[in-house]
Short mmCIF file of all heavy atoms in Angstrom, two decimals:
data_model
loop_
_atom_site.label_atom_id
_atom_site.label_comp_id
_atom_site.label_asym_id
_atom_site.label_seq_id
_atom_site.Cartn_x
_atom_site.Cartn_y
_atom_site.Cartn_z
N TRP O 38 32.53 43.07 -3.27
CA TRP O 38 32.74 44.44 -2.93
C TRP O 38 31.58 45.35 -2.96
O TRP O 38 31.46 46.22 -2.05
CB TRP O 38 33.83 45.05 -3.78
CG TRP O 38 35.16 44.40 -3.47
CD1 TRP O 38 35.80 43.47 -4.27
CD2 TRP O 38 35.82 44.59 -2.34
NE1 TRP O 38 36.92 43.00 -3.60
CE2 TRP O 38 37.06 43.69 -2.43
CE3 TRP O 38 35.83 45.36 -1.18
CZ2 TRP O 38 38.01 43.66 -1.52
CZ3 TRP O 38 36.82 45.27 -0.19
CH2 TRP O 38 37.92 44.38 -0.36
N PHE O 58 31.54 55.32 -5.00
CA PHE O 58 32.96 55.26 -4.96
C PHE O 58 33.50 53.79 -5.22
O PHE O 58 34.43 53.57 -6.03
CB PHE O 58 33.60 55.77 -3.61
CG PHE O 58 33.71 57.24 -3.56
CD1 PHE O 58 32.96 57.99 -2.75
CD2 PHE O 58 34.74 57.85 -4.26
CE1 PHE O 58 33.12 59.33 -2.61
CE2 PHE O 58 34.91 59.19 -4.21
CZ PHE O 58 34.14 59.95 -3.31
N PHE O 59 33.03 52.95 -4.45
CA PHE O 59 33.50 51.54 -4.43
C PHE O 59 33.19 50.82 -5.79
O PHE O 59 34.03 50.28 -6.48
CB PHE O 59 32.90 50.76 -3.32
CG PHE O 59 33.95 50.41 -2.39
CD1 PHE O 59 34.58 51.36 -1.52
CD2 PHE O 59 34.43 49.08 -2.33
CE1 PHE O 59 35.55 51.09 -0.67
CE2 PHE O 59 35.50 48.81 -1.45
CZ PHE O 59 36.06 49.77 -0.67
N VAL O 60 31.92 50.85 -6.12
CA VAL O 60 31.43 50.13 -7.30
C VAL O 60 32.00 50.65 -8.52
O VAL O 60 32.52 49.99 -9.44
CB VAL O 60 29.96 49.95 -7.29
CG1 VAL O 60 29.57 49.25 -8.51
CG2 VAL O 60 29.45 49.16 -6.11
N ALA O 62 34.79 52.44 -8.77
CA ALA O 62 36.16 52.12 -8.90
C ALA O 62 36.37 50.71 -9.34
O ALA O 62 37.31 50.39 -10.10
CB ALA O 62 36.74 52.34 -7.46
N LEU O 63 35.53 49.83 -8.76
CA LEU O 63 35.67 48.39 -9.15
C LEU O 63 35.53 48.19 -10.73
O LEU O 63 36.32 47.42 -11.30
CB LEU O 63 34.72 47.52 -8.38
CG LEU O 63 34.97 46.13 -8.22
CD1 LEU O 63 36.30 45.92 -7.46
CD2 LEU O 63 33.90 45.36 -7.50
N TRP O 66 38.46 49.69 -12.49
CA TRP O 66 39.73 49.01 -12.37
C TRP O 66 39.70 47.68 -13.25
O TRP O 66 40.70 47.30 -13.74
CB TRP O 66 39.87 48.50 -10.91
CG TRP O 66 40.94 47.55 -10.59
CD1 TRP O 66 40.82 46.20 -10.43
CD2 TRP O 66 42.36 47.69 -10.78
NE1 TRP O 66 41.94 45.52 -10.43
CE2 TRP O 66 42.99 46.45 -10.64
CE3 TRP O 66 43.12 48.87 -11.12
CZ2 TRP O 66 44.40 46.34 -10.68
CZ3 TRP O 66 44.46 48.68 -11.15
CH2 TRP O 66 45.16 47.39 -10.98
N GLN O 181 47.93 47.98 -8.63
CA GLN O 181 46.82 48.30 -7.93
C GLN O 181 47.05 49.27 -6.71
O GLN O 181 46.34 50.33 -6.67
CB GLN O 181 46.01 47.09 -7.44
CG GLN O 181 44.61 47.32 -7.21
CD GLN O 181 43.82 46.08 -6.93
OE1 GLN O 181 44.28 45.12 -6.36
NE2 GLN O 181 42.51 46.19 -7.15
N SER O 184 47.73 52.73 -7.87
CA SER O 184 46.62 53.28 -8.65
C SER O 184 45.64 54.02 -7.89
O SER O 184 44.82 54.74 -8.41
CB SER O 184 45.96 52.19 -9.46
OG SER O 184 46.81 51.68 -10.42
N ALA O 185 45.73 53.86 -6.49
CA ALA O 185 44.69 54.43 -5.64
C ALA O 185 43.36 54.31 -6.06
O ALA O 185 42.57 55.18 -6.27
CB ALA O 185 45.08 56.01 -5.40
N VAL O 186 43.06 52.95 -6.26
CA VAL O 186 41.70 52.60 -6.81
C VAL O 186 40.60 52.93 -5.85
O VAL O 186 39.56 53.59 -6.17
CB VAL O 186 41.70 51.14 -7.18
CG1 VAL O 186 40.30 50.81 -7.84
CG2 VAL O 186 42.81 50.82 -8.09
N PHE O 187 40.75 52.49 -4.60
CA PHE O 187 39.67 52.54 -3.60
C PHE O 187 39.81 53.54 -2.59
O PHE O 187 39.10 53.73 -1.70
CB PHE O 187 39.46 51.19 -2.87
CG PHE O 187 39.17 50.11 -3.97
CD1 PHE O 187 40.07 49.10 -4.16
CD2 PHE O 187 37.95 50.09 -4.51
CE1 PHE O 187 39.80 48.03 -5.07
CE2 PHE O 187 37.58 49.07 -5.43
CZ PHE O 187 38.60 48.08 -5.70
N TYR O 188 40.93 54.38 -2.68
CA TYR O 188 41.20 55.44 -1.77
C TYR O 188 42.02 56.49 -2.35
O TYR O 188 42.58 56.32 -3.44
CB TYR O 188 42.11 54.79 -0.51
CG TYR O 188 43.27 53.93 -1.09
CD1 TYR O 188 44.38 54.44 -1.67
CD2 TYR O 188 43.22 52.58 -1.07
CE1 TYR O 188 45.37 53.69 -2.10
CE2 TYR O 188 44.09 51.75 -1.54
CZ TYR O 188 45.23 52.24 -2.01
OH TYR O 188 46.16 51.47 -2.57
N PRO O 189 41.93 57.76 -1.86
CA PRO O 189 42.59 58.84 -2.49
C PRO O 189 44.19 58.69 -2.34
O PRO O 189 44.61 58.07 -1.37
CB PRO O 189 42.09 60.07 -1.77
CG PRO O 189 41.53 59.57 -0.51
CD PRO O 189 41.14 58.24 -0.69
N PHE O 210 41.73 57.52 -11.38
CA PHE O 210 40.82 57.26 -10.10
C PHE O 210 40.63 58.49 -9.25
O PHE O 210 39.57 58.72 -8.79
CB PHE O 210 41.34 56.10 -9.27
CG PHE O 210 41.18 54.70 -10.02
CD1 PHE O 210 42.18 54.08 -10.64
CD2 PHE O 210 39.91 54.23 -10.11
CE1 PHE O 210 42.03 53.01 -11.32
CE2 PHE O 210 39.64 52.99 -10.79
CZ PHE O 210 40.67 52.33 -11.36
N ARG O 214 36.89 60.15 -8.61
CA ARG O 214 36.47 60.63 -7.31
C ARG O 214 36.05 62.05 -7.35
O ARG O 214 35.04 62.59 -6.84
CB ARG O 214 37.36 60.41 -6.15
CG ARG O 214 37.46 59.00 -5.75
CD ARG O 214 38.35 58.69 -4.64
NE ARG O 214 39.76 58.78 -5.06
CZ ARG O 214 40.52 57.85 -5.44
NH1 ARG O 214 40.06 56.59 -5.59
NH2 ARG O 214 41.72 58.03 -5.87
#
Side-chain angles (χ1 to χ4, degrees):
Chain O
W38 290 105
F58 271 112
F59 246 75
V60 175
L63 201 62
W66 169 254
Q181 201 174 28
S184 292
V186 182
F187 300 109
Y188 41 78
F210 289 103
R214 282 183 290 269

